Amino acid sequence: MVKETIFSKIIRREIPSDIIYQDDSVTAFRDISPQAPVHILIIPNKIIPTVNDIGEDDEKVLGHLFTVAAKLAKQEGIDESGYRLIMNCNKDGGQEVYHLHMHLLGGKQLGKLIG
Ligand code: DGP
């Protein structure tokens, strides 16, 4: 049994969040604690807790996360200046919410990859 997180409530719009894109398979919304001028989370609507839980059936939705990320980067005006996509996995990776998500960060010169 896969455990729901706060992100399931965001997908179902049961709690307020700044959703900027949603379709049948993914949802994107602004991070509650932005680390850069643009900080968007792009998540599969299906619960996949961590990168370790990705199966072959998920390859299509994961590819879709990237195309949505590129579209949103353009929409936010950071496609040319640049941005970073991050997926944290488990404790050492700094994962806090166990519903797979891609961070889209940009709008400033980002620091070193590993802090
Ligand atoms: P990670 O550390 O990779 O698991 O990132 C989780 C991110 O989720 C973190 O940057 C903060 C964000 N976050 C947590 N709870 C909420 C929420 O309720 N709403 C929004 N918009 N973002 C959230």
Side-chain angles (χ1 to χ4, degrees):
M1 170 70 180
V2 184
K3 221 170 126 195
E4 282 201 354
T5 71
I6 192 95
F7 287 179
S8 291
K9 291 191 167 63
I10 288 175
I11 291 165
R12 295 195 298 262
R13 298 175 187 253
E14 288 170 6
I15 60 165
S17 73
D18 194 356
I19 293 179
I20 53 175
Y21 179 85
Q22 188 166 47
D23 64 26
D24 286 349
S25 58
V26 313
T27 300
F29 51 97
R30 295 194 193 277
D31 196 289
I32 204 166
S33 170
Q35 305 297 307
V38 176
H39 189 171
I40 294 166
L41 300 174
I42 308 160
I43 70 176
N45 294 338
K46 171 190 174 183
I47 301 171
I48 303 170
T50 78
V51 171
N52 292 335
D53 302 300
I54 293 170
E56 282 180 19
D57 289 354
D58 301 320
E59 288 176 1
K60 193 169 174 201
V61 70
L62 291 172
H64 193 42
L65 291 185
F66 280 94
T67 52
V68 169
K71 211 176 284 180
L72 293 178
K74 193 172 169 70
Q75 193 175 296
E76 296 288 317
I78 59 168
D79 53 327
E80 293 298 329
S81 53
Y83 54 92
R84 186 173 292 159
L85 301 174
I86 298 174
M87 255 187 209
N88 296 322
C89 182
N90 278 339
K91 189 168 145 283
D92 281 0
Q95 185 172 6
E96 289 169 2
V97 180
Y98 283 78
H99 182 133
L100 190 90
H101 49 281
M102 176 185 274
H103 295 258
L104 165 59
L105 293 147
K108 70 169 188 179
Q109 174 71 59
L110 299 168
K112 282 191 290 189
L113 189 55
I114 300 169

mmCIF file of all heavy atoms in Angstrom, residues 7 14 18 23 28 47 57 60 85 89 108-109:
data_model
loop_
_atom_site.group_PDB
_atom_site.id
_atom_site.type_symbol
_atom_site.label_atom_id
_atom_site.label_comp_id
_atom_site.label_asym_id
_atom_site.label_seq_id
_atom_site.Cartn_x
_atom_site.Cartn_y
_atom_site.Cartn_z
ATOM 1 N N PHE A 7 1.343 16.010 -1.057
ATOM 2 C CA PHE A 7 1.275 16.286 -2.496
ATOM 3 C C PHE A 7 0.009 15.701 -3.132
ATOM 4 O O PHE A 7 -0.505 16.248 -4.102
ATOM 5 C CB PHE A 7 2.535 15.769 -3.208
ATOM 6 C CG PHE A 7 3.778 16.592 -2.947
ATOM 7 C CD1 PHE A 7 4.995 16.223 -3.511
ATOM 8 C CD2 PHE A 7 3.738 17.736 -2.163
ATOM 9 C CE1 PHE A 7 6.143 16.984 -3.295
ATOM 10 C CE2 PHE A 7 4.886 18.499 -1.929
ATOM 11 C CZ PHE A 7 6.093 18.116 -2.504
ATOM 12 N N GLU A 14 -7.221 19.805 -2.656
ATOM 13 C CA GLU A 14 -7.891 19.802 -1.341
ATOM 14 C C GLU A 14 -7.241 20.806 -0.398
ATOM 15 O O GLU A 14 -7.828 21.169 0.617
ATOM 16 C CB GLU A 14 -7.831 18.394 -0.730
ATOM 17 C CG GLU A 14 -8.742 17.419 -1.443
ATOM 18 C CD GLU A 14 -8.540 15.969 -1.018
ATOM 19 O OE1 GLU A 14 -7.757 15.701 -0.077
ATOM 20 O OE2 GLU A 14 -9.162 15.093 -1.660
ATOM 21 N N ASP A 18 -0.128 26.910 -5.395
ATOM 22 C CA ASP A 18 -0.044 27.682 -6.628
ATOM 23 C C ASP A 18 0.242 26.724 -7.789
ATOM 24 O O ASP A 18 1.377 26.591 -8.241
ATOM 25 C CB ASP A 18 1.061 28.737 -6.454
ATOM 26 C CG ASP A 18 1.003 29.801 -7.533
ATOM 27 O OD1 ASP A 18 0.169 29.675 -8.448
ATOM 28 O OD2 ASP A 18 1.800 30.754 -7.450
ATOM 29 N N ASP A 23 -2.144 18.109 -15.875
ATOM 30 C CA ASP A 23 -2.823 17.300 -16.885
ATOM 31 C C ASP A 23 -3.108 15.932 -16.282
ATOM 32 O O ASP A 23 -3.013 15.761 -15.057
ATOM 33 C CB ASP A 23 -2.005 17.265 -18.204
ATOM 34 C CG ASP A 23 -0.643 16.601 -18.059
ATOM 35 O OD1 ASP A 23 -0.474 15.743 -17.160
ATOM 36 O OD2 ASP A 23 0.268 16.919 -18.852
ATOM 37 N N ALA A 28 2.225 20.566 -11.627
ATOM 38 C CA ALA A 28 3.362 21.432 -11.279
ATOM 39 C C ALA A 28 2.841 22.602 -10.457
ATOM 40 O O ALA A 28 1.809 23.195 -10.782
ATOM 41 C CB ALA A 28 4.044 21.928 -12.546
ATOM 42 N N ILE A 47 1.337 8.131 -7.273
ATOM 43 C CA ILE A 47 2.311 8.133 -6.171
ATOM 44 C C ILE A 47 3.449 7.166 -6.475
ATOM 45 O O ILE A 47 3.242 5.964 -6.587
ATOM 46 C CB ILE A 47 1.662 7.731 -4.826
ATOM 47 C CG1 ILE A 47 0.519 8.686 -4.473
ATOM 48 C CG2 ILE A 47 2.717 7.721 -3.714
ATOM 49 C CD1 ILE A 47 -0.297 8.230 -3.268
ATOM 50 N N ASP A 57 6.998 0.756 -16.167
ATOM 51 C CA ASP A 57 5.701 1.353 -16.542
ATOM 52 C C ASP A 57 5.685 2.865 -16.334
ATOM 53 O O ASP A 57 4.806 3.559 -16.848
ATOM 54 C CB ASP A 57 4.568 0.766 -15.681
ATOM 55 C CG ASP A 57 4.264 -0.671 -16.042
ATOM 56 O OD1 ASP A 57 4.845 -1.163 -17.031
ATOM 57 O OD2 ASP A 57 3.461 -1.291 -15.328
ATOM 58 N N LYS A 60 7.162 6.562 -19.194
ATOM 59 C CA LYS A 60 6.457 7.568 -19.987
ATOM 60 C C LYS A 60 6.184 8.821 -19.148
ATOM 61 O O LYS A 60 6.453 9.943 -19.588
ATOM 62 C CB LYS A 60 5.145 6.982 -20.521
ATOM 63 C CG LYS A 60 4.517 7.835 -21.587
ATOM 64 C CD LYS A 60 3.385 7.131 -22.296
ATOM 65 C CE LYS A 60 2.710 8.114 -23.252
ATOM 66 N NZ LYS A 60 1.362 7.707 -23.595
ATOM 67 N N LEU A 85 17.462 21.067 -12.694
ATOM 68 C CA LEU A 85 16.424 20.096 -12.326
ATOM 69 C C LEU A 85 17.021 19.142 -11.304
ATOM 70 O O LEU A 85 18.111 18.593 -11.540
ATOM 71 C CB LEU A 85 15.958 19.320 -13.561
ATOM 72 C CG LEU A 85 15.371 20.164 -14.696
ATOM 73 C CD1 LEU A 85 15.080 19.295 -15.922
ATOM 74 C CD2 LEU A 85 14.095 20.864 -14.243
ATOM 75 N N CYS A 89 16.662 11.824 -3.374
ATOM 76 C CA CYS A 89 16.220 10.460 -3.019
ATOM 77 C C CYS A 89 16.673 10.085 -1.615
ATOM 78 O O CYS A 89 17.871 10.092 -1.313
ATOM 79 C CB CYS A 89 16.749 9.445 -4.037
ATOM 80 S SG CYS A 89 16.188 7.760 -3.672
ATOM 81 N N LYS A 108 18.317 32.913 -11.140
ATOM 82 C CA LYS A 108 19.541 33.507 -10.610
ATOM 83 C C LYS A 108 20.682 32.515 -10.875
ATOM 84 O O LYS A 108 20.430 31.349 -11.221
ATOM 85 C CB LYS A 108 19.427 33.783 -9.112
ATOM 86 C CG LYS A 108 19.400 32.545 -8.239
ATOM 87 C CD LYS A 108 19.559 32.884 -6.767
ATOM 88 C CE LYS A 108 19.738 31.619 -5.923
ATOM 89 N NZ LYS A 108 19.918 31.882 -4.512
ATOM 90 N N GLN A 109 21.902 33.001 -10.715
ATOM 91 C CA GLN A 109 23.054 32.096 -10.835
ATOM 92 C C GLN A 109 23.013 31.148 -9.636
ATOM 93 O O GLN A 109 23.096 31.598 -8.486
ATOM 94 C CB GLN A 109 24.358 32.920 -10.833
ATOM 95 C CG GLN A 109 25.624 32.078 -10.818
ATOM 96 C CD GLN A 109 25.889 31.361 -12.133
ATOM 97 O OE1 GLN A 109 26.019 32.008 -13.165
ATOM 98 N NE2 GLN A 109 25.959 30.048 -12.078
#
